[in-house]
């Protein structure tokens, strides 16, 4: 771009210089021409003798005037660089002349009123003279020629030419230098950006671009880039956390199994003892496989590979069915399991995934509500969708915990919850599925006042089901 700019500048300057030179030359020539015209007319009127009607032009007198010894006339002519002569039109003879220059008389010169530039030899130098020929009205056979040397004008033209060339050379060197300098300066922040960007890798995502660039566009670029880096860093952080948590969760059942097996194998056991040991291993294997399935589902959802079947779901039917599945578990804890589900709540979605949401929420409600408590499942139309509420009379969730409970592997009371079988993934999965359906999930709760989970789902999918949260 800089090179194109320079080329354009160079061509423009050459054109401007040529036009300027030609304009000055034409103006100078016009000056000379009008000067000659004025002088020729003045000389013609001076030569006219009104008293001698027969012969108003006295050639002899003119010769005398122009002769070398006539100091006044000669010095005037020399100072003004003028040359004057009279020509006989018919013969081409020079009747009188102020200087003996070797300038031939041509017939066109003699017969026409014209301007002409003539070169002639003087002291071995070629001199140029601009001639103006004027036919004399009072002496029809005679033409007056006034000339002026073009030496001064050629000098001025030379000076103009030199100045323009110097200017061209000057700007021709200065422009590329300043262009190079400016381009370099403009590239400094870009180079810094490239260097910083090159340093950013998986291991170190903390580097950020300097956003105090002088150019607004670069500043915006740096801000956008930094915002992108923030998002990438957070995503990486979440990913690392997820992997670390997953490994941690896997380690617990594995170490329980290992310890159990070591203890069992440390001495010979009765068949009943072996049976107990195997049952406990089986329980942990079940936990592990449940965890593996859940993790797989989350990873698939994250990489947009989760199969999502979109079809009409009868939510009323589905809710009643899931609630009934928990009937015996609720009775076991003497929990009153109520339901207030409106009929014919139809919506578009993935039935299996929605069952999972409701299942996780009711499971939590029954799991965390102490014996003798209450759990109520409600569903009704809400604006242009459906609202499901799962309410319990359990311990409730403190406000500061509420923002975290949908995070992966987040458990409020880790030691207590593990005994109840949770990985801290139930709500994360529920949220992910609700998000995929374009809905929302919220919790309304206060400590010791139970919890209410509110899920709102649109009747139809407006967006693609794969939404990155
Ligand atoms: P978990 O599998 O451990 O139940 P969840 O993701 O389902 O994990 O829940 C996260 C945390 O939120 C739980 O550890 C629990 O402490 C809290 N929680 C969830 N549901 C309820 C509820 N109905 N009442 C009280 N606490 C709840």
């Amino acid at each position: 771009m800089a090179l194109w700019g320079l080329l354009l500048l160079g061509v423009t300057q050459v054109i401007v210089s040529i036009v300027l030179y030609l304009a000055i030359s034409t103006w100078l020539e016009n000056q000379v021409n009008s000067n000659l015209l004025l002088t020729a007319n003045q000389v013609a009127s001076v030569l006219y003798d009104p008293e001698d009607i027969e012969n108003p032009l006295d050639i002899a007198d003119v010769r005398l005037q122009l002769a070398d010894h006539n100091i006044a006339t000669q010095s005037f002519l020399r100072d003004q660089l003028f040359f004057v002569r009279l020509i006989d039109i018919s013969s081409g003879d020079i009747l009188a002349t102020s200087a003996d220059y070797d300038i031939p008389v041509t017939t066109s010169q003699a017969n026409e009123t014209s301007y002409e530039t003539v070169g002639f030899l003087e002291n071995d130098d070629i001199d140029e003279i601009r001639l103006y020929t004027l036919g004399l009205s009072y002496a029809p056979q005679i033409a007056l020629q006034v000339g002026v040397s073009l030496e001064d004008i050629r000098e001025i033209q030379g000076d103009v030419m030199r100045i323009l060339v110097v200017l061209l050379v000057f700007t021709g060197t200065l422009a590329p230098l300043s262009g190079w300098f400016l381009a370099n300066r403009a590239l400094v922040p870009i180079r810094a950006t490239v260097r910083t960007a090159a340093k950013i890798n998986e291991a170190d995502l903390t580097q950020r671009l300097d956003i105090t660039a002088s150019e607004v566009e670069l500043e915006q670029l740096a801000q956008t880039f930094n915002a992108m880096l923030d998002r990438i860093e957070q995503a990486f952080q979440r990913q690392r956390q997820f992997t670390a948590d997953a490994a941690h969760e896997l380690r617990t059942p594995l170490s329980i199994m290992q310890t159990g097996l070591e203890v069992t194998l440390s001495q010979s056991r009765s068949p009943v003892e072996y049976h107990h040991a195997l049952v406990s291993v089986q329980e942990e294997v079940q936990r592990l496989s449940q965890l593996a399935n859940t993790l797989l589902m989350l990873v698939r959802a994250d990489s947009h590979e989760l199969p999502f079947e979109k079809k009409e779901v009868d939510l009323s039917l589905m809710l009643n069915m899931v609630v009934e599945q928990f009937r015996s578990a609720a009775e076991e804890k003497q929990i009153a399991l109520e339901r207030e589900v409106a009929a014919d709540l139809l919506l578009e979605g993935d039935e299996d995934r929605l069952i999972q949401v409701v299942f996780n929420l009711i499971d939590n409600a029954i799991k965390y509500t102490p014996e003798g408590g209450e759990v109520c499942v409600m569903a009704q139309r809400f604006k242009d969708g459906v609202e499901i509420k799962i309410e319990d009379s359990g311990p409730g969730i403190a406000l500061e915990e509420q923002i975290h409970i949908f995070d992966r592997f987040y458990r409020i009371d880790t030691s207590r919850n593990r005994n109840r079988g949770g990985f801290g993934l139930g709500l994360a999965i529920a949220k992910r599925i609700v998000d995929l359906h374009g809905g929302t999930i919220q919790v309304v709760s206060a400590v010791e006042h139970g919890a209410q989970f509110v899920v709102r789902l649109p009747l139809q999918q407006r967006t693609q089901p794969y939404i990155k949260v």
Side-chain angles (χ1 to χ4, degrees):
M1 242 169 77
L3 281 178
W4 274 113
L6 282 178
L7 197 72
L8 206 71
L9 183 76
V11 171
T12 317
Q13 274 187 341
V14 170
I15 292 172
V16 167
S17 302
I18 292 172
V19 170
L20 201 68
Y21 179 78
L22 290 177
I24 291 174
S25 298
T26 313
W27 180 79
L28 286 171
E29 202 167 283
N30 287 342
Q31 287 299 104
V32 170
N33 286 352
S34 54
N35 218 359
L36 280 175
L37 179 74
L38 193 77
T39 313
N41 282 310
Q42 278 174 352
V43 173
S45 65
V46 167
L47 295 181
Y48 178 65
D49 181 2
E51 280 165 21
D52 189 347
I53 299 159
E54 282 293 298
N55 194 13
L57 176 64
D58 186 347
I59 304 283
D61 186 45
V62 176
R63 277 197 196 115
L64 214 63
Q65 286 294 328
L66 299 178
D68 270 352
H69 54 78
N70 192 331
I71 296 160
T73 315
Q74 280 302 329
S75 64
F76 166 79
L77 291 172
R78 254 198 311 278
D79 286 354
Q80 303 290 311
L81 296 171
F82 277 124
F83 159 71
V84 179
R85 70 181 179 183
L86 287 175
I87 304 165
D88 185 316
I89 292 174
S90 49
S91 64
D93 289 346
I94 298 164
L95 302 173
T97 181
S98 66
D100 231 354
Y101 295 145
D102 183 18
I103 303 170
V105 179
T106 59
T107 33
S108 68
Q109 266 181 17
N111 286 311
E112 283 169 33
T113 298
S114 63
Y115 292 100
E116 197 179 358
T117 302
V118 195
F120 67 96
L121 259 176
E122 198 208 2
N123 305 333
D124 293 339
D125 272 342
I126 292 180
D127 213 346
E128 269 187 308
I129 199 162
R130 183 93 176 141
L131 273 183
Y132 175 63
T133 310
L134 176 71
L136 295 174
S137 54
Y138 52 84
Q141 281 308 305
I142 297 170
L144 167 70
Q145 274 194 330
V146 178
V148 68
S149 167
L150 290 179
E151 204 181 318
D152 280 359
I153 289 182
R154 294 291 177 249
E155 243 172 57
I156 294 172
Q157 281 177 322
D159 285 349
V160 169
M161 176 76 94
R162 271 187 291 280
I163 289 170
L164 289 176
V165 168
V166 168
L167 269 177
L168 268 180
V169 171
F170 184 67
T171 50
T173 13
L174 204 71
L177 278 177
S178 58
W180 177 80
F181 175 73
L182 287 175
N184 247 344
R185 249 186 55 162
L187 285 177
V188 166
I190 294 179
R191 287 206 187 100
T193 306
V194 170
R195 271 200 302 276
T196 318
K199 272 193 239 161
I200 297 165
N201 59 30
E202 214 182 296
D204 184 10
L205 281 167
T206 53
Q207 299 268 352
R208 290 293 179 271
L209 302 181
D210 180 12
I211 42 176
T212 53
S214 49
E215 286 80 7
V216 179
E217 289 78 9
L218 277 180
E219 200 179 312
Q220 282 172 353
L221 178 75
Q223 273 170 351
T224 315
F225 195 78
N226 284 348
M228 185 190 78
L229 283 176
D230 285 344
R231 287 197 299 275
I232 294 178
E233 194 185 358
Q234 281 164 15
F236 258 82
Q237 189 56 38
R238 277 203 302 269
Q239 209 62 39
R240 278 201 200 108
Q241 190 63 43
F242 180 67
T243 316
D245 290 342
H248 182 76
E249 290 301 328
L250 286 168
R251 218 170 48 180
T252 319
L254 282 173
S255 54
I256 289 173
M257 278 196 287
Q258 196 180 7
T259 321
L261 287 173
E262 274 170 11
V263 170
T264 312
L265 292 173
S266 61
Q267 59 186 76
S268 64
R269 308 266 175 197
S270 67
V272 178
E273 282 174 320
Y274 281 126
H275 179 78
H276 278 308
L278 283 176
V279 168
S280 114
V281 168
Q282 191 189 24
E283 270 173 20
E284 292 307 325
V285 168
Q286 257 169 11
R287 262 181 78 80
L288 270 178
S289 104
Q290 192 194 337
L291 177 63
N293 285 337
T294 315
L295 289 179
L296 193 66
M297 191 198 136
L298 280 170
V299 170
R300 277 184 173 172
D302 285 349
S303 54
H304 296 185
E305 283 167 10
L306 193 67
F308 190 95
E309 235 180 276
K310 209 161 77 171
K311 60 176 186 200
E312 196 176 68
V313 181
D314 187 335
L315 214 66
S316 314
L317 216 66
M318 184 268 265
L319 280 169
N320 290 333
M321 185 197 78
V322 179
V323 169
E324 286 320 307
Q325 278 183 19
F326 282 97
R327 185 66 62 197
S328 61
E331 277 166 8
E332 232 172 77
K333 279 182 88 178
Q334 286 139 36
I335 288 172
L337 181 57
E338 309 281 334
R339 60 181 150 97
E340 289 168 26
V341 178
D344 298 325
L345 295 173
L346 302 175
L347 59 78
E348 204 178 52
D350 186 320
E351 185 161 25
D352 289 343
R353 308 263 172 244
L354 290 173
I355 288 177
Q356 208 168 350
V357 173
V358 179
F359 187 94
N360 287 357
L361 294 176
I362 302 177
D363 185 44
N364 277 350
I366 292 179
K367 210 160 57 177
Y368 297 114
T369 304
E371 290 194 0
E374 271 173 42
V375 170
C376 186
V377 178
M378 292 163 278
Q380 59 183 22
R381 289 195 188 285
F382 178 81
K383 290 184 183 165
D384 53 350
V386 174
E387 184 180 69
I388 307 167
K389 284 184 189 164
I390 289 123
E391 205 176 75
D392 64 57
S393 59
I397 301 160
L399 208 60
E400 62 273 19
E401 306 278 7
Q402 289 176 16
I403 43 167
H404 298 297
I405 55 168
F406 296 101
D407 293 348
R408 291 166 187 192
F409 297 106
Y410 190 83
R411 287 181 296 219
I412 294 177
D413 182 344
T414 322
S415 58
R416 189 190 66 190
N417 285 345
R418 201 190 125 68
N419 297 335
R420 297 191 205 182
F423 289 112
L425 288 172
L427 289 179
I429 286 187
K431 179 166 168 32
R432 196 79 182 91
I433 294 171
V434 172
D435 283 339
L436 292 178
H437 280 81
T440 57
I441 181 166
Q442 282 167 341
V443 62
V444 184
S445 178
V447 180
E448 302 305 333
H449 284 90
Q452 187 187 56
F453 283 85
V454 184
V455 178
R456 286 181 186 146
L457 295 164
L459 285 188
Q460 270 182 342
Q461 294 281 303
R462 266 180 239 105
T463 48
Q464 272 298 99
Y466 298 120
I467 307 156
K468 190 98 179 108
V469 199

